[in-house]
Amino acid sequence: MKDKIKIFDRLLISDFIKFAILAVMCVVTIYLLIDLFEELDYFISRHTSVLVVFLYYLYSMPSAISLFLPVGVILSCFLNYGLMMRERSIYVCQSAGISIYRLFLPVIVIGVSLIVIQFLFYEFVTIPANRKLEELRRVKIEKRYGSIATKRYNLYLRGKEQRVYFIYEYESVNPTIGERTGVMRNFIIVELSNTGQLLKRIDGKEATFSNRHWLAKNVSVRYFKADTLESYQHFDTLTLAIKEKPGDFTDETRPIEQLFIWELNGYLKQLKFAGVNTAKAEVEFHYRIASLFISIILILLSLPLAVRLRHGGGIMFGLGLGLLFSFIYWGLIQIAKAFGQVSLVAPFWSAWIPNIVFLIIGLYLFYSVKQ
């Protein structure tokens, strides 16, 4: 009997994965086709080649897969278990003494596995693809070649070796070939001890990164010690003994959706240390984690609904119901994120409230299934 159950599990898992892949491919294809029709004027006006358009949507695909994977999962549940109900396979299994929850187990295991799979896919496939997509749009489509200059004002940054930077104007130039350069204007560098005691303050008019060093002009340096008075030195030019490079001041300007989770965590720490509003970054950080559980929650929600389907028409109704739940879920997520970004809801709860709401509904339906 156990061998037969294992064979049944393998068949169930195989069918579920095939249906899920088919559903994701269909939804992603429709999504990308709609986007293509909307972007046709954009491509035509810039005389974009077919190859570049192909690469554009190739790089767009991982993001679409990450977005629509939960939709594919819920549709697969309705298809797989809806067909089993129509063919009365579930009744046969129950008459053999197999619990309905035991029939749910293989798919639940897949849902739990998807937590890890989605995390790895998003961090190591989706984010790099999004970065390549941005570069493709900038260089190949919009023809913005050469150096890329970026200016930031009122920059606060916690650096390495207990340093804090206050920069009124920072300009970064990223050449397509060669070393990245940067210029700090009207800056203050504060060095702290491990206990937070002020040790040194550097005030400068301008510092330029060249030959792997920061060369500053018109610099004042103050030293602070507990047992002596403040000491002061002025330099017309001074090579700053700091480890930060231009990229350390500009990498966090990349959209937070394109930051790896460890980069996002470091960016959050910098913002908190500088006293900057962190609501948007915190919402993104918590949502990045909460989104991993969407698939398993939708599985718990859809399984009990799928086994209530009695005939072929019920399967089509179930597919429609699955899409409806998916988009309601997505809409609630967007509303909660918006509330979190404007600090109407705590960032943690703005990311997790949709999960909690649908998890409660799913558990209620799950435990109400008739054996």
Side-chain angles (χ1 to χ4, degrees):
M1 183 67 178
K2 290 183 179 180
D3 292 337
K4 292 181 180 179
I5 293 177
K6 290 181 179 179
I7 293 173
F8 185 82
D9 287 342
R10 286 198 295 269
L11 291 172
L12 189 60
I13 291 172
S14 175
D15 288 344
F16 181 85
I17 292 174
K18 285 189 293 185
F19 282 137
I21 292 174
L22 178 62
V24 172
M25 287 177 59
C26 290
V27 177
V28 168
T29 300
I30 293 171
Y31 171 79
L32 294 180
L33 284 174
I34 293 173
D35 186 79
L36 173 62
F37 292 138
E38 291 181 348
E39 298 291 341
L40 272 179
D41 289 340
Y42 172 74
F43 294 133
I44 293 172
S45 64
R46 289 166 174 79
H47 306 287
T48 308
S49 67
V50 175
L51 177 60
V52 172
V53 174
F54 173 78
L55 290 174
Y56 181 92
Y57 284 102
L58 181 65
Y59 294 145
S60 300
M61 191 172 296
S63 180
I65 292 173
S66 296
L67 178 64
F68 291 111
L69 180 60
V71 177
V73 166
I74 193 171
L75 293 180
S76 181
C77 283
F78 279 105
L79 275 169
N80 210 25
Y81 286 87
L83 288 173
M84 290 173 63
M85 286 298 296
R86 188 182 67 179
E87 296 170 358
R88 300 188 178 274
S89 301
I90 289 181
Y91 298 132
V92 173
C93 293
Q94 287 180 309
S95 64
I98 301 175
S99 166
I100 188 69
Y101 294 125
R102 178 60 184 82
L103 297 177
F104 290 163
L105 182 60
V107 175
I108 293 174
V109 171
I110 293 175
V112 174
S113 302
L114 282 175
I115 295 173
V116 178
I117 294 171
Q118 285 179 270
F119 174 79
L120 296 175
F121 183 82
Y122 191 87
E123 295 295 323
F124 296 104
V125 179
T126 302
I127 291 178
N130 287 343
R131 292 182 176 184
K132 287 183 177 294
L133 176 64
E134 182 180 355
E135 182 180 356
L136 181 76
R137 182 187 292 114
R138 175 176 56 81
V139 177
K140 296 294 185 180
I141 299 177
E142 299 178 0
K143 305 295 190 298
R144 289 188 281 142
Y145 299 108
S147 298
I148 310 156
T150 303
K151 281 190 178 182
R152 299 187 67 198
Y153 294 91
N154 299 318
L155 173 63
Y156 300 87
L157 175 71
R158 181 178 183 179
K160 303 169 185 176
E161 298 179 337
Q162 298 297 109
R163 290 191 182 91
V164 183
Y165 295 83
F166 304 86
I167 306 171
Y168 172 73
E169 180 183 335
Y170 182 82
E171 182 176 2
S172 174
V173 180
N174 308 337
T176 53
I177 300 176
E179 185 180 47
R180 179 185 294 186
T181 61
V183 180
M184 295 187 287
R185 299 185 179 94
N186 298 321
F187 63 89
I188 300 172
I189 304 174
V190 175
E191 294 187 14
L192 306 173
S193 67
N194 292 331
T195 59
Q197 180 184 355
L198 178 61
L199 299 178
K200 184 166 68 172
R201 168 173 167 160
I202 303 172
D203 294 69
K205 188 70 175 178
E206 183 176 291
T208 303
F209 187 81
S210 180
N211 297 323
R212 300 185 180 182
H213 293 92
W214 288 98
L215 182 63
K217 300 178 182 179
N218 192 14
V219 181
S220 300
V221 183
R222 294 177 173 84
Y223 300 91
F224 303 89
K225 295 183 180 179
D227 55 346
T228 62
L229 296 175
E230 170 190 335
S231 59
Y232 170 86
Q233 286 182 293
H234 179 81
F235 302 89
D236 291 331
T237 60
L238 177 67
T239 299
L240 301 177
I242 60 177
K243 293 186 176 181
E244 280 71 25
K245 297 181 179 180
D248 296 316
F249 297 101
T250 57
D251 285 347
E252 71 274 8
T253 60
R254 189 186 293 273
I256 57 177
E257 295 81 9
Q258 294 184 18
L259 295 178
F260 296 110
I261 195 164
W262 53 87
E263 293 176 333
L264 182 58
N265 185 48
Y267 180 43
L268 263 173
K269 290 179 180 179
Q270 292 176 358
L271 292 179
K272 289 179 180 178
F273 187 86
V276 179
N277 186 350
T278 62
K280 185 176 180 180
E282 284 192 78
V283 169
E284 175 63 24
F285 179 80
H286 291 299
Y287 172 71
R288 192 79 64 86
I289 299 172
S291 63
L292 302 176
F293 295 86
I294 293 177
S295 293
I296 183 62
I297 292 173
L298 284 176
I299 285 174
L300 295 177
L301 180 70
S302 58
L303 285 176
L305 293 175
V307 296
R308 288 176 167 82
L309 303 176
R310 302 297 178 183
H311 46 77
I315 296 177
M316 299 306 298
F317 175 77
L319 294 178
L321 194 63
L323 286 173
L324 177 63
F325 272 118
S326 298
F327 287 109
I328 291 175
Y329 203 156
W330 181 82
L332 183 59
I333 287 172
Q334 298 306 311
I335 293 171
K337 286 178 67 176
F339 282 167
Q341 290 172 355
V342 296
S343 301
L344 291 177
V345 179
F348 175 85
W349 291 111
S350 71
W352 284 95
I353 280 177
N355 282 6
I356 293 172
V357 170
F358 276 82
L359 179 62
I360 292 172
I361 297 173
L363 290 176
Y364 171 77
L365 294 173
F366 195 80
Y367 285 108
S368 66
V369 173
K370 294 181 180 180
Q371 295 295 311

